Amino acid sequence: MERELKFATKCVHAGEKPDPVFGAHTTPIFQTSTFIFENVEQGAARFAGEEAGYVYARIPPNTPTHAVLAEKVAALEGGEAGQTFASGMAAITAVVLSALKQGDHLISTDVVYGCTYSLFSEVLPGLGIDVSFVDTSDIENVRAAFKPETKMVFLETPANPTITVCDIREIAGLARAQGAICVVDNTFATPYFQKPLLLGADVSLSSCTKYIGGHADLLGGVVVGSRDFMKCLGKVVGYTGGIMGVHEAWLCIRGLKTLHIRMDRHAENAMKVASFLESHPAVIWVRYPGLSSHPQHEIAEKQMSGYGGMLSFEIRGGVEAGRRLMDSVRLCSLAVSLGATDTLIQHPASMTHACIPGHIRNKVGIKDGLVRLSVGIEDPEDIIADLEQALSKT
C-alpha cells in the first residue's frame, strides 16, 4: 500500500503535477473564460456531466488552476473533493442554498462572523428557512434545539470573535442521528490544526482570505466534503457564479505551500502574547484555546493539534480604554480580517460585528470592551512590546 504523505508535504505537492505541454514547474494561471472541445459529442458529454473536463470558467471545475487548489485543500482537510469561491461568504451561501430549502431548519453557533449572522438572520428567513442561534459550546443546548425540520447544524469553532470552542465530534454525531448534516467553519483553525471531516463533520469550509492565502492580498473561500455533496454544490456554483478569480486561486496555491510553517509561528507567538496579556494588570480576561483558563480548553486540546493565531481580550476602562489602546499601537495594524503575516487588532462591536444588534452581541459575549487580535509572525518580543506601550496609555 502506498504510504500517505505528511501534511507539510501535501501543502507543497498535493494536487500539483508537471505541466504536460511546457513542463512548467509551478501551476500555471489559466487566464481563460472558455475551453475548446474536440467535437460536438465531447462538448455535449461535458455539459451533461458524462465526461470529466472543463467547459466554462464559471462552471466547476472552473479552470485547471482552480482544480489544483480544490484538490490541494481537499487533501489537507481529509475530504474527497473541494470547490473554490470568490469569498468565504460566497462559500457559506452556496452551502446553505445547496442543502436547505423552504421549510427547513438550521441550527447555528450563536457567535459567528458578523456577515454569517446577517445571512442567517435576515436572508434565510426570507427564503422560508428557520434559523436558531445556539450556544454550541454546551451540547445540551444543541440537543434541545433540534426539530423534525432540522437539516443542518452550522458550527464556527473557534468562534469569531469570542474564541469559543465546541465539540465537533459530539455535535456531528448528534446531527447525524437526527438526519442533519454538520457544517464547520474552519477558518480560524485551518486544516493544519483542526480537521472537522475526520471528526465526523460532513462539510468543512474556510475563508481563503485569511490563513490559506496568508498575506492579506486576496478574497476567496473553499468548501470540502464528499463527492456527492460537491456534485450538488456544483449546480449552485454554476447557477449563482460566485467563483474565485483565477489569479486569486493561484495566490492561494502559493500561500498553502507555507501554511504549516506560518501556522506554527502564528500559534507560538499567540501563546506568548496571550500569556503576557493574561498577566497584565490592565487586562480583565483573555480567551485563547491554548490557555488552561479558556472555558473549553479541554475540548480544544482534544480536537485541535495547535491553537492558532487568534485571541480576544477585554481591558479595564471599557470602550474608551480599548479605543486608546488601538489608537496607540505602532507595530500592530488597526484593521479587520485576520490571518495576515502582520499582527492585526480591531474592535468587533464597532467593526466586524457591528451588524449584529447590540443586545444580541452582549448576550453572546461580544462585549463593547472586547478586542480581537490576529497575532502575526513577527518576533513575539516586538508584538508584546507594542502592546505593552499601548496598554500603558489606557
Side-chain angles (χ1 to χ4, degrees), residues 333-356:
S333 300
L334 178 57
V336 298
S337 197
L338 55 106
T341 53
D342 58 322
T343 299
L344 307 179
I345 192 169
Q346 69 108 350
H347 181 232
S350 66
M351 297 178 185
T352 53
H353 292 71
C355 55
I356 300 175

Short mmCIF file of all heavy atoms in Angstrom, two decimals, residues 333-356:
data_model
loop_
_atom_site.label_atom_id
_atom_site.label_comp_id
_atom_site.label_asym_id
_atom_site.label_seq_id
_atom_site.Cartn_x
_atom_site.Cartn_y
_atom_site.Cartn_z
N SER A 333 -1.35 46.51 13.28
CA SER A 333 -2.16 47.27 12.34
C SER A 333 -3.61 47.27 12.79
O SER A 333 -4.17 46.21 13.11
CB SER A 333 -2.07 46.67 10.93
OG SER A 333 -0.74 46.68 10.46
N LEU A 334 -4.22 48.45 12.83
CA LEU A 334 -5.65 48.56 13.15
C LEU A 334 -6.42 48.25 11.87
O LEU A 334 -6.58 49.10 11.00
CB LEU A 334 -5.97 49.96 13.67
CG LEU A 334 -7.45 50.25 13.99
CD1 LEU A 334 -8.00 49.26 15.02
CD2 LEU A 334 -7.62 51.68 14.49
N ALA A 335 -6.87 47.02 11.75
CA ALA A 335 -7.52 46.57 10.51
C ALA A 335 -8.37 45.35 10.79
O ALA A 335 -8.09 44.56 11.71
CB ALA A 335 -6.47 46.23 9.44
N VAL A 336 -9.42 45.18 9.99
CA VAL A 336 -10.26 43.99 10.10
C VAL A 336 -9.61 42.85 9.32
O VAL A 336 -8.53 42.98 8.78
CB VAL A 336 -11.69 44.26 9.62
CG1 VAL A 336 -12.36 45.31 10.49
CG2 VAL A 336 -11.70 44.70 8.16
N SER A 337 -10.31 41.75 9.25
CA SER A 337 -9.82 40.49 8.69
C SER A 337 -8.77 39.91 9.63
O SER A 337 -8.58 40.39 10.76
CB SER A 337 -9.29 40.65 7.27
OG SER A 337 -9.20 39.37 6.65
N LEU A 338 -8.10 38.87 9.19
CA LEU A 338 -7.18 38.15 10.06
C LEU A 338 -6.33 37.21 9.22
O LEU A 338 -6.52 37.09 8.01
CB LEU A 338 -7.97 37.35 11.10
CG LEU A 338 -9.03 36.38 10.55
CD1 LEU A 338 -8.57 34.93 10.66
CD2 LEU A 338 -10.35 36.55 11.28
N GLY A 339 -5.37 36.58 9.87
CA GLY A 339 -4.55 35.58 9.19
C GLY A 339 -3.44 36.15 8.34
O GLY A 339 -2.84 35.43 7.55
N ALA A 340 -3.15 37.45 8.49
CA ALA A 340 -2.06 38.06 7.74
C ALA A 340 -0.73 37.77 8.42
O ALA A 340 -0.68 37.33 9.57
CB ALA A 340 -2.28 39.57 7.64
N THR A 341 0.36 38.04 7.73
CA THR A 341 1.67 37.83 8.32
C THR A 341 1.94 38.84 9.43
O THR A 341 2.73 38.58 10.35
CB THR A 341 2.78 37.94 7.26
OG1 THR A 341 2.64 39.18 6.55
CG2 THR A 341 2.70 36.78 6.27
N ASP A 342 1.30 40.03 9.35
CA ASP A 342 1.47 41.02 10.41
C ASP A 342 0.31 40.95 11.38
O ASP A 342 -0.76 40.41 11.09
CB ASP A 342 1.60 42.43 9.82
CG ASP A 342 0.40 42.84 8.97
OD1 ASP A 342 -0.13 41.98 8.24
OD2 ASP A 342 -0.01 44.00 9.04
N THR A 343 0.53 41.48 12.58
CA THR A 343 -0.46 41.43 13.64
C THR A 343 -1.54 42.49 13.42
O THR A 343 -1.23 43.66 13.19
CB THR A 343 0.21 41.65 15.01
OG1 THR A 343 1.16 40.60 15.22
CG2 THR A 343 -0.81 41.64 16.13
N LEU A 344 -2.80 42.05 13.47
CA LEU A 344 -3.94 42.93 13.25
C LEU A 344 -4.77 43.03 14.53
O LEU A 344 -5.04 42.03 15.18
CB LEU A 344 -4.83 42.40 12.11
CG LEU A 344 -4.15 42.09 10.78
CD1 LEU A 344 -5.18 41.56 9.79
CD2 LEU A 344 -3.46 43.32 10.22
N ILE A 345 -5.18 44.23 14.86
CA ILE A 345 -6.00 44.46 16.04
C ILE A 345 -7.26 45.20 15.63
O ILE A 345 -7.22 46.05 14.73
CB ILE A 345 -5.21 45.26 17.11
CG1 ILE A 345 -5.95 45.27 18.46
CG2 ILE A 345 -4.89 46.67 16.63
CD1 ILE A 345 -5.10 45.80 19.61
N GLN A 346 -8.40 44.84 16.23
CA GLN A 346 -9.66 45.51 15.85
C GLN A 346 -10.69 45.38 16.95
O GLN A 346 -10.53 44.59 17.89
CB GLN A 346 -10.20 44.95 14.53
CG GLN A 346 -10.70 43.52 14.58
CD GLN A 346 -12.21 43.41 14.50
OE1 GLN A 346 -12.95 44.38 14.57
NE2 GLN A 346 -12.70 42.18 14.36
N HIS A 347 -11.78 46.17 16.81
CA HIS A 347 -12.84 46.24 17.79
C HIS A 347 -14.11 45.65 17.17
O HIS A 347 -14.82 46.33 16.42
CB HIS A 347 -13.08 47.71 18.19
CG HIS A 347 -14.14 47.89 19.22
ND1 HIS A 347 -15.20 48.78 19.05
CD2 HIS A 347 -14.33 47.30 20.43
CE1 HIS A 347 -15.97 48.73 20.11
NE2 HIS A 347 -15.48 47.85 20.97
N PRO A 348 -14.44 44.38 17.45
CA PRO A 348 -15.57 43.72 16.79
C PRO A 348 -16.90 44.46 16.94
O PRO A 348 -17.69 44.52 15.98
CB PRO A 348 -15.61 42.36 17.47
CG PRO A 348 -14.19 42.10 17.88
CD PRO A 348 -13.68 43.44 18.30
N ALA A 349 -17.21 45.01 18.12
CA ALA A 349 -18.52 45.63 18.34
C ALA A 349 -18.78 46.81 17.42
O ALA A 349 -19.93 47.09 17.07
CB ALA A 349 -18.65 46.07 19.80
N SER A 350 -17.73 47.49 17.00
CA SER A 350 -17.91 48.64 16.11
C SER A 350 -17.45 48.36 14.69
O SER A 350 -17.63 49.20 13.81
CB SER A 350 -17.16 49.86 16.65
OG SER A 350 -15.76 49.64 16.62
N MET A 351 -16.87 47.17 14.46
CA MET A 351 -16.32 46.87 13.13
C MET A 351 -16.93 45.59 12.56
O MET A 351 -18.02 45.61 12.00
CB MET A 351 -14.79 46.80 13.22
CG MET A 351 -14.14 48.12 13.62
SD MET A 351 -12.35 48.02 13.77
CE MET A 351 -11.98 49.66 14.39
N THR A 352 -16.27 44.46 12.72
CA THR A 352 -16.70 43.23 12.04
C THR A 352 -18.06 42.71 12.48
O THR A 352 -18.72 41.99 11.73
CB THR A 352 -15.66 42.11 12.25
OG1 THR A 352 -15.41 41.98 13.66
CG2 THR A 352 -14.37 42.45 11.53
N HIS A 353 -18.48 43.03 13.71
CA HIS A 353 -19.76 42.52 14.22
C HIS A 353 -20.75 43.63 14.53
O HIS A 353 -21.72 43.42 15.26
CB HIS A 353 -19.51 41.65 15.46
CG HIS A 353 -18.78 40.37 15.16
ND1 HIS A 353 -17.44 40.35 14.80
CD2 HIS A 353 -19.19 39.08 15.13
CE1 HIS A 353 -17.07 39.10 14.58
NE2 HIS A 353 -18.11 38.31 14.77
N ALA A 354 -20.50 44.80 13.96
CA ALA A 354 -21.41 45.94 14.19
C ALA A 354 -22.80 45.69 13.62
O ALA A 354 -23.78 46.30 14.07
CB ALA A 354 -20.82 47.21 13.58
N CYS A 355 -22.91 44.78 12.64
CA CYS A 355 -24.21 44.49 12.03
C CYS A 355 -25.11 43.65 12.94
O CYS A 355 -26.30 43.49 12.68
CB CYS A 355 -24.02 43.79 10.69
SG CYS A 355 -23.02 42.28 10.78
N ILE A 356 -24.54 43.11 14.02
CA ILE A 356 -25.33 42.34 14.97
C ILE A 356 -25.90 43.29 16.02
O ILE A 356 -25.17 44.10 16.58
CB ILE A 356 -24.45 41.26 15.66
CG1 ILE A 356 -23.87 40.30 14.62
CG2 ILE A 356 -25.27 40.49 16.70
CD1 ILE A 356 -22.90 39.29 15.19
#
